[in-house]
Amino acid sequence: MIRNQGVLSAIGVTVMAAVSLLALHEWRDRPTVVEDARELPPALIVERVSARTFTESGDLQYDLRAERITEMDTRGETLVEQPRLALHDPALAWELTADRGEVRDRGRHVTLRGAVEARDHGPDGLLVQSEELVYESALERLTSPGTVEITHPGGRTRAGAMEANSADGEVQLLQQVESRYDPT
């Protein structure tokens, strides 16, 4: 179990991504999902999405971009292609990217897949990489069911899986954890 401010900040970035995707997911009233054997076409497809949030003083807080967002109402999910979330708070200079994402259960379950990266552009220079990150808001839990690699000042840490709880700030690296430090 570790308590590393950089890793905890990475969790915060992922939570921000989940909140951002939830906001996009909830921008219109949702029809009742009807049980039907056939797959209906998407309810909405938005391409080249760019959304920004500003602080009360007018400063850019974060920037969310995606190649495509597809609302699949019959399945109750939103599909996101090439999401990129950049935080512009000097204390949280993070950028989160993935090949694709899925938002289900009205935003309570967010899965990012394919070359997932959370990069801290601040003085810590932390990079978290995985093929899949899952955020479950009701449990305040972030997991990487597969290999996760964390590049940090002085070295790299690799684990077969990761579980993090944003409520208590604990991060557990599981299954063959290996750290390599480079003193240079």
Side-chain angles (χ1 to χ4, degrees):
M1 193 175 333
I2 61 173
R3 289 179 183 260
N4 180 312
Q5 192 64 25
V7 174
L8 295 177
S9 295
I11 293 167
V13 169
T14 304
V15 170
M16 283 293 295
V19 169
S20 301
L21 292 174
L22 174 62
L24 288 171
H25 185 70
E26 295 297 325
W27 67 6
R28 61 185 179 83
D29 292 332
R30 310 279 307 166
T32 304
V33 176
V34 177
E35 294 295 326
D36 193 342
R38 61 190 162 109
E39 177 77 24
L40 294 177
L44 178 70
I45 297 174
V46 182
E47 295 184 347
R48 290 179 287 287
V49 175
S50 179
R52 293 185 176 104
T53 299
F54 296 88
T55 64
E56 290 181 13
S57 63
D59 296 325
L60 182 61
Q61 186 174 17
Y62 72 85
D63 179 358
L64 173 67
R65 296 175 189 265
E67 268 309 300
R68 177 181 293 182
I69 295 177
T70 305
E71 286 282 335
M72 301 299 294
D73 284 339
T74 57
R75 292 187 289 189
E77 69 182 357
T78 301
L79 307 176
V80 183
E81 294 177 24
Q82 305 276 309
R84 177 192 162 270
L85 175 72
L87 297 177
H88 293 276
D89 182 338
L92 294 172
W94 281 90
E95 182 177 12
L96 178 70
T97 60
D99 290 338
R100 62 196 176 283
E102 300 166 8
V103 180
R104 291 187 309 261
D105 196 19
R106 301 183 74 77
R108 290 184 280 272
H109 188 94
V110 177
T111 302
L112 298 175
R113 290 192 173 101
V116 180
E117 291 189 357
R119 182 180 304 271
D120 177 8
H121 292 288
D124 289 335
L126 193 69
L127 172 64
V128 178
Q129 296 173 293
S130 181
E131 281 301 308
E132 182 175 2
L133 282 177
V134 179
Y135 177 67
E136 298 169 277
S137 66
L139 302 173
E140 296 188 50
R141 181 172 66 184
L142 176 69
T143 59
S144 176
T147 303
V148 63
E149 186 167 317
I150 303 169
T151 305
H152 46 82
R156 291 177 185 246
T157 300
R158 184 178 177 100
M162 178 186 76
E163 294 180 0
N165 185 320
S166 58
D168 61 17
E170 291 186 358
V171 176
Q172 293 184 358
L173 298 176
L174 310 165
Q175 303 172 6
Q176 300 177 335
V177 178
E178 177 184 327
S179 286
R180 294 183 183 249
Y181 290 93
D182 180 9
T184 59

